[in-house]
Amino acid sequence: MAATIIDGKAFAARLRARIGEQVTSLRRDHGLVPGLAVVLVGEDPASQVYVRSKGKQTIEAGMKSFEHRLPVETSETQLLALIEKLNADPEVHGILVQLPLPPHVNADLVINAIDPAKDVDGFHISNVGLLGTGQKAMVPCTPLGCLMMLRDHHGSLSGMEAVVLGRSNIVGKPMAQLLLGDSCTVTIAHSRTRDLPAVCRRADILVAAVGRPEMISGDWVKPGATVIDVGINRIERDGKTRLVGDVDFDSVAAVAGAITPVPGGVGPMTIACLLANTLTAACRANGLAEPEGLTA
Ligand code: NDP
């Protein structure tokens, strides 16, 4: 294996420790404790795991965690009323509505009801617009985590050829915007892209966010490229359930210069960036200087 492993788990632990120190200073110097409200509607098992983990890490960072678990039959009106209450609550600096929402709720309507300054997921249409126009935004956590790892590994990304595989609103598109913001030459590929392997082989930086287990193999990757694997896929292998990425790790690691593993790559960075965004939101709400290096 040739590639350097980019250890997202260790990076995220360092980031959380740094955030914890900043939170301690905020509390000591300004009497301010950042607060994150997480709203979960229904009992989707994966969402419950994510929400539990978010709450635990929020408290470990010294922040306040407010969990709102609502029954699956909660109406859109009830959910909007809760968002309005959280928007007005000065102890709440970040609001996250766990997706997916049940089908009878219009997710866009709910997300766009969140105060953009508290939208720590960065999905509100205002934040999407701010990011797209290169202004100060709340940046979606998963792409922000990818960007932090890339900057840490490469220093400047300027002039690099980046290919983002996937065009979702939560990963692919904001990832592409962030890479463009760092002066990469960016291609966004998707299910209609012609000759995907050839497009991927152009990349100095390849970000895979497709949700297809081990789709990208070594012969799709330029020797020495940096490969960021966002995919989280559960598969059955050798009678066991395993977590794999969108990248065929062994064949790609033999060609790439650097690679994020699954698990232990992008995943841990996502929650760490949620804490980073909550801290940033708390500082902005109180007119305090934002800690450096926590946003794009
Ligand atoms: P979506 O399903 O919303 O988007 C997938 C994208 O991949 C689409 O743009 C789709 O193209 C494209 N795609 C699908 N199949 C192919 C194919 N065969 N060839 C080329 N392109 C294809 O997924 P998300 O962006 O939400 O998530 C992507 C992956 O990242 C998932 O595995 C998800 O679990 C994971 N994820 C991980 C996170 C983390 O914290 N590590 C956070 C969020 C997501 P088209 O638009 O044309 O349909």
Side-chain angles (χ1 to χ4, degrees):
M1 184 168 57
T4 301
I5 308 293
I6 299 178
D7 186 344
K9 197 173 167 195
F11 194 113
R14 288 196 298 277
L15 182 57
R16 288 198 309 271
R18 195 148 61 84
I19 291 167
E21 285 163 18
Q22 302 280 357
V23 171
T24 303
S25 310
L26 271 188
R27 187 195 291 261
R28 185 189 57 224
D29 301 339
H30 303 281
L32 174 63
V33 183
L36 173 65
V38 176
V39 180
L40 173 63
V41 184
E43 289 176 4
D44 176 64
S47 295
Q48 286 182 327
V49 172
Y50 291 138
V51 166
R52 224 182 352 262
S53 181
K54 284 167 186 170
K56 184 168 168 274
Q57 294 193 29
T58 304
I59 289 164
E60 279 169 5
M63 300 184 185
K64 283 187 193 156
S65 167
F66 305 95
E67 265 183 36
H68 295 268
R69 290 169 182 265
L70 307 176
V72 69
E73 60 274 11
T74 302
S75 71
E76 197 173 272
T77 311
Q78 287 169 316
L79 193 50
L80 289 171
L82 173 61
I83 301 289
E84 206 173 307
K85 210 172 113 210
L86 297 173
N87 281 343
D89 186 340
E91 283 202 298
V92 173
H93 304 98
I95 302 170
L96 180 148
V97 176
Q98 185 66 43
L99 300 176
L101 286 169
H104 66 274
V105 177
N106 180 337
D108 286 338
L109 194 72
V110 172
I111 298 300
N112 289 324
I114 297 172
D115 176 349
K118 297 190 177 188
D119 168 40
V120 281
D121 250 345
F123 296 161
H124 189 288
I125 198 77
S126 296
N127 282 314
V128 175
L130 290 169
L131 179 62
T133 50
Q135 300 179 68
K136 198 191 250 188
M138 276 288 150
V139 178
C141 303
T142 299
L144 179 59
C146 297
L147 183 75
M148 284 185 187
M149 288 191 288
L150 284 167
R151 283 178 175 170
D152 183 67
H153 186 73
H154 285 286
S156 170
L157 308 181
S158 180
M160 294 179 88
E161 192 84 41
V163 173
V164 179
L165 191 40
R167 56 174 164 179
S168 72
N169 290 335
I170 65 169
V171 188
K173 283 184 201 152
M175 186 75 246
Q177 296 282 8
L178 289 173
L179 291 166
L180 193 59
D182 270 28
S183 300
C184 292
T185 302
V186 183
T187 302
I188 306 179
H190 45 77
S191 66
R192 307 295 171 88
T193 299
R194 266 180 271 159
D195 200 352
L196 207 49
V199 172
C200 291
R201 272 193 296 272
R202 294 208 302 257
D204 302 312
I205 293 170
L206 178 61
V207 181
V210 278
R212 301 268 180 261
E214 301 175 327
M215 184 176 102
I216 292 129
S217 56
D219 57 345
W220 291 34
V221 173
K222 184 201 244 186
T226 298
V227 179
I228 305 289
D229 190 355
V230 181
I232 300 178
N233 310 288
R234 278 184 176 74
I235 61 160
E236 295 297 321
R237 183 175 289 155
D238 305 329
K240 287 186 184 153
T241 305
R242 292 176 193 275
L243 217 53
V244 298
D246 293 338
V247 170
D248 174 33
F249 186 84
D250 289 342
S251 71
V252 172
V255 180
I259 184 169
T260 59
V262 177
V266 174
M269 285 301 288
T270 296
I271 300 189
C273 286
L274 176 65
L275 303 179
N277 278 350
T278 304
L279 175 56
T280 300
C283 291
R284 287 181 187 170
N286 288 275
L288 300 171
E290 296 168 30
E292 273 180 32
L294 294 189
T295 190

